[in-house]
Amino acid sequence: MNEKGTREGVIDALVVLGAIAGVLTLLDESFWSRDYLVAGLVPVVLLLAVAWGLRRWQEGVWIYTLVALLAYAPVGAIAALRQPGPWAVPTFETMNQVLGDTIVAPRLFVSTLPPVEASGTIMLLPYAIGFAAAVPAAWLALATNRPIAPAIPLVAALGATIPVAVLVPDHYILRGVVLAAALVTWATARARRAESLAGGQRSGLVGTLAAIVVVVGVAAVVTVLVPDNDQTDRKRLDPAADEQVATRGAGSMVPSTGGRQELFRVTGAPIGARMRFGALDLYDGEAWVPAEQSPGAGAVGTFRRLGRTVEPLRPGPETTVRVRIRPAYSSAWLPMIGDLTSIDLDYRDGRTQLKDVRYNQATSSAVVVGGVDPRDDYTFTAVLPPDDISRRDPAMAATSEQRQPDGAFLDQFLTAFDRAELTPVQRVLLLARYLRQNGAVRLSGPSSQDPIDLGLRLLGAERMTATPFQYSAVTALGASRLGVPGRVVVGARIGPRGIVRETDVFSWVELQLSDGSWRALAPERYTGVHRHAEEQPDAVAGASAWVAGALDLDDDEVRVKIPKGADIELSPDAVIEEEADPWEVIGLAAAALAGAALLAGLAVPGVKLARRRRRRTAGGWSGVYVNGWQEVLDAARDRGTPVPEGWGRLAQATALGAGVDLVRQADAAVFAPQAGPAEDGREFWEECQRLRRQLLAETDVRRRAWALFNPASLLAGWARRRSR
């Protein structure tokens, strides 16, 4: 029987409540909202209240235990499932769901991509953690004087929460230190309190040491049970892929391609973009298939449930895409593009629901349990994938799984491409160029991926002929065996008005770079360029001879520096780099135009000077008067105050506010019955030049400088000559 006072009891209750709340905050990064704290702390408050009321009863522990066991199901129905039932009394069906789904909740939680929506069966996880920790802790803290015993279930709750909660080490060390310090301090205070009740005079040092030993001991046991081999990148427990959703949906990844029926319509994605159905990331010795767990991807490579939002592996600008499925689309795979960040399916239409969707972050593929409804309409946001791969991109080193062990038969045909002086990506691109230049493509017939069809009958054949899909299959397998993680992706290219038809379906290869991202290798870079119906390409002497000719290793005519310091010898006509960037060509053209415009502007003063010299002697005895006044008008136009060309000279001078006497002298000379003295013409010209300089001097420095380079008068003169 506990003899503690009300003050100490309140402190103990608050410590238990705070410690369990601290443990539950480990789930904070995994849930979409903090509603999970309500589900986890409601049973704690209830059990503390029951323990408080029964703490002074002689047989209170038995009554408390009975009440706790009976309360689990109805309280869970209200606090976790939020189904209070009629008259706030949960139904037997709901309480049965609580008891049955408590075992399912942890597995459902770890098999759902974070952040998880805080509703439904998943809420039984924080509820069970809070309830299980509070049952012993509340009674031991409030009804007994034992200093250390109440801390043990709290530390155990921490150990049970870490495996399902931790994604990355975000303040977890700090939380653990704070929780440990609080529990040690609390246990010490309880030990001293017990000594005072017993009338002892000990300092409490023994109790403190005992508390530290117990907390450290429990933490050590938890460390053994939940090992953490990587302190910098902790991962969620790998969810077991027992649903086999990828295996069951593999046969429907490639929809019917026999006609031109509309499969679906896309809004929000660029025209020509690749919509992916799914990724084939495992070669099983007979064909490329979708793996239940992507090779080398770990936990993110499994098909997991979705919440309404998803945290992408590589954040970036997002785009909103809407897809409307048409009846001709018969598949279990949802057409997607990029890395998914959120998805919204109309829950009111009774068709595909969010709970039916499984998403693989590593392959950016979504499969629907039971298949896609041909009337589905859904909207999602995604981070669009990066551009095509280039030979300068560093590749990810393939793991043993990613090297596709069942594709080892291809190694004998890849010896010529596995050159030490080339980077892994360059080896793959060299293989792709070999297939493209020497292969023929057929658009009908089977696309077998058996070793004999990809090996002897394709890569090892003298005359290579295959379907586009077989080219994708052998390129991805060859890349994997050359050390670059590769996979085949099936999808479609978005057509005009966002319509995707059966004829738009195709496959391509993706390669993984060192930053973990996957880049597309367009089929145009490895599919044979010769048509099967046309004349067959010449027989290839062999891959080794072709590579030697492509690289021209025997001649030292051209030396090319490639990444990582390796030097190789290329013939003058050898090309293994990617095509020039069109934006680079546009930039060079723009720079050329800008340079030409600058040179033209700098030439304007010289052209004006040459025009002035020509005008002084052109046009006979009257030309000096006409041209001299035109020099004044051109100066006014270049400084930004033009006067109409159609006005008479007197009206023009009046508009300028200067040169009235000059225009009268010019009119008298031009309309005179005979030519005047040449000396009068020269004086008139000089007066016009002085007036021209005066007009320019009246403006500010900026306008004066601009008048020197302004081509307005030159263009006006060109227009006058054309109008004559």
Side-chain angles (χ1 to χ4, degrees):
M1 183 171 164
N2 192 0
E3 300 295 338
K4 68 176 69 175
T6 302
R7 178 174 175 273
E8 292 81 359
V10 171
I11 293 175
D12 290 339
L14 291 177
V15 171
V16 172
L17 182 64
I20 296 178
V23 170
L24 290 175
T25 56
L26 296 178
L27 303 171
D28 201 55
E29 284 80 6
S30 300
F31 275 103
W32 189 12
S33 65
R34 290 191 171 90
D35 292 346
Y36 72 94
L37 285 175
V38 177
L41 294 180
V42 164
V44 179
V45 174
L46 176 63
L47 291 172
L48 286 172
V50 175
W52 182 277
L54 299 175
R55 60 179 178 155
R56 300 186 185 278
W57 290 32
Q58 187 68 32
E59 302 296 334
V61 62
W62 304 109
I63 301 176
Y64 171 79
T65 304
L66 180 61
V67 171
L69 292 177
L70 294 177
Y72 181 80
V75 175
I78 297 174
L81 299 184
R82 300 176 186 175
Q83 298 179 21
W87 306 98
V89 177
T91 63
F92 285 105
E93 182 181 356
T94 305
M95 291 189 287
N96 185 56
Q97 181 183 353
V98 172
L99 296 175
D101 289 353
T102 297
I103 301 176
V104 178
R107 181 181 184 81
L108 186 63
F109 180 76
V110 299
S111 64
T112 304
L113 287 172
V116 180
E117 189 171 359
S119 63
T121 302
I122 286 180
M123 294 292 281
L124 289 172
L125 175 65
Y127 173 77
I129 293 174
F131 194 96
V135 167
W139 182 260
L140 293 173
L142 297 180
T144 71
N145 293 321
R146 297 172 184 174
I148 301 173
I152 296 177
L154 300 179
V155 176
L158 176 63
T161 305
I162 287 177
V164 296
V166 174
L167 291 172
V168 291
D170 180 19
H171 304 301
Y172 291 122
I173 296 178
L174 178 60
R175 295 179 192 180
V177 171
V178 171
L179 183 60
L183 293 179
V184 170
T185 303
W186 180 46
T188 303
R190 286 177 60 85
R192 292 180 177 178
R193 188 191 309 158
E195 293 172 4
S196 65
L197 291 175
Q201 299 296 323
R202 291 179 296 171
S203 62
L205 179 60
V206 176
T208 302
L209 292 177
I212 294 175
V213 169
V214 171
V215 172
V216 172
V218 175
V221 172
V222 170
T223 302
V224 173
L225 296 177
V226 189
D228 183 9
N229 299 321
D230 187 354
Q231 298 292 335
T232 62
D233 189 20
R234 309 176 96 180
K235 296 294 184 183
R236 179 190 300 276
L237 284 180
D238 291 353
D242 62 342
E243 291 185 337
Q244 301 294 315
V245 292
T247 303
R248 290 200 298 267
S252 66
M253 182 175 292
V254 182
S256 174
T257 58
R260 287 187 49 82
Q261 295 188 73
E262 182 178 340
L263 298 178
F264 53 89
R265 185 167 298 193
V266 183
T267 305
I271 301 299
R274 306 181 186 97
M275 290 288 292
R276 66 196 302 128
F277 303 151
L280 307 172
D281 49 0
L282 175 64
Y283 185 77
D284 63 3
E286 296 180 356
W288 281 97
V289 296
E292 296 295 342
Q293 181 168 350
S294 298
V300 298
T302 57
F303 286 87
R304 291 189 277 177
R305 292 172 175 81
L306 282 173
R308 293 191 179 275
T309 61
V310 179
E311 184 177 352
L313 298 178
R314 282 164 293 277
E318 298 180 6
T319 185
T320 301
V321 181
R322 182 185 179 189
V323 179
R324 285 169 288 177
I325 301 295
R326 293 293 185 252
Y329 186 78
S330 177
S331 175
W333 301 83
L334 277 180
M336 306 293 291
I337 183 172
D339 294 336
L340 184 69
T341 57
S342 69
I343 185 169
D344 181 24
L345 291 95
D346 192 347
Y347 67 91
R348 298 165 298 180
D349 56 12
R351 301 168 190 167
T352 300
Q353 300 297 304
L354 192 60
K355 63 182 179 63
D356 302 323
V357 181
R358 304 292 183 266
Y359 183 70
N360 188 320
Q361 279 190 298
T363 62
S364 302
S365 305
V367 62
V368 178
V369 178
V372 178
D373 192 286
R375 301 165 296 169
D376 274 332
D377 186 346
Y378 60 98
T379 302
F380 65 92
T381 60
V383 178
L384 292 183
D387 296 332
D388 203 2
I389 195 171
S390 70
R391 68 184 184 91
R392 300 179 180 86
D393 292 326
M396 175 73 76
T399 64
S400 58
E401 291 181 327
Q402 290 176 321
R403 289 183 65 89
Q404 307 298 339
D406 289 331
F409 67 88
L410 207 62
D411 292 350
Q412 57 182 314
F413 307 108
L414 296 173
T415 305
F417 307 97
D418 192 9
R419 311 196 69 91
E421 67 271 22
L422 300 179
T423 65
V425 169
Q426 289 174 335
R427 299 170 196 164
V428 176
L429 295 182
L430 186 63
L431 170 64
R433 188 158 65 99
Y434 171 75
L435 293 171
R436 179 176 182 272
Q437 293 183 358
N438 299 287
V441 62
R442 55 181 173 82
L443 303 179
S444 61
S447 296
S448 172
Q449 304 164 60
D450 287 334
I452 191 173
D453 291 302
L454 297 185
L456 289 174
R457 295 176 181 173
L458 180 52
L459 193 55
E462 292 185 358
R463 290 181 171 86
M464 297 184 296
T465 301
T467 64
F469 187 84
Q470 286 178 311
Y471 277 109
S472 297
V474 75
T475 302
L477 190 57
S480 300
R481 298 305 299 173
L482 289 172
V484 181
R487 63 192 184 193
V488 179
V489 182
V490 178
R493 199 178 301 278
I494 302 175
R497 296 180 295 150
I499 297 176
V500 175
R501 302 184 183 277
E502 293 174 332
T503 52
D504 297 321
V505 176
F506 72 112
S507 64
W508 66 91
V509 173
E510 287 185 344
L511 305 177
Q512 191 176 28
L513 301 186
S514 58
D515 61 356
S517 64
W518 291 82
R519 298 288 183 88
L521 183 64
E524 295 81 10
R525 301 180 68 171
Y526 57 78
T527 304
V529 295
H530 304 282
R531 290 288 183 183
H532 180 56
E534 300 173 357
E535 181 180 355
Q536 295 295 307
D538 296 336
V540 182
S544 299
W546 183 88
V547 171
L551 300 180
D552 198 12
L553 299 178
D554 296 329
D555 298 329
D556 55 355
E557 302 173 39
V558 181
R559 182 170 294 274
V560 178
K561 188 75 171 179
I562 64 175
K564 299 187 178 179
D567 294 330
I568 61 173
E569 304 295 329
L570 302 178
S571 63
D573 58 345
V575 180
I576 63 172
E577 64 272 15
E578 59 182 315
E579 298 180 357
D581 187 356
W583 289 107
E584 181 179 354
V585 176
I586 294 175
L588 291 175
L593 292 175
L598 179 61
L599 291 177
L602 295 176
V604 168
V607 175
K608 290 182 179 180
L609 180 61
R611 180 185 63 183
R612 189 174 301 121
R613 291 179 177 178
R614 179 180 56 81
R615 280 177 172 176
R616 186 168 186 175
T617 58
W621 63 272
S622 63
V624 68
Y625 295 97
V626 175
N627 294 335
W629 181 247
Q630 189 61 48
E631 282 288 311
V632 175
L633 297 180
D634 288 344
R637 183 179 297 277
D638 289 340
R639 76 170 187 174
T641 57
V643 294
E645 294 281 352
W647 288 7
R649 277 186 283 268
L650 182 60
Q652 292 172 341
T654 303
L656 290 174
V660 175
D661 294 337
L662 284 176
V663 298
R664 288 174 176 168
Q665 181 182 349
D667 288 343
V670 170
F671 296 110
Q674 59 183 2
E679 184 64 25
D680 292 347
R682 286 193 292 272
E683 291 181 0
F684 179 83
W685 177 268
E686 294 300 330
E687 288 295 330
C688 287
Q689 295 303 313
R690 280 192 289 272
L691 179 58
R692 180 182 66 81
R693 289 190 288 270
Q694 177 185 342
L695 292 177
L696 296 176
E698 291 176 352
T699 62
D700 54 30
V701 177
R702 182 179 62 83
R703 286 180 176 272
R704 197 179 312 142
W706 170 239
L708 183 63
F709 297 95
N710 188 0
S713 61
L714 296 176
L715 297 176
W718 176 74
R720 285 195 302 272
R721 289 191 296 273
R722 288 196 61 186
S723 62
R724 292 173 183 172

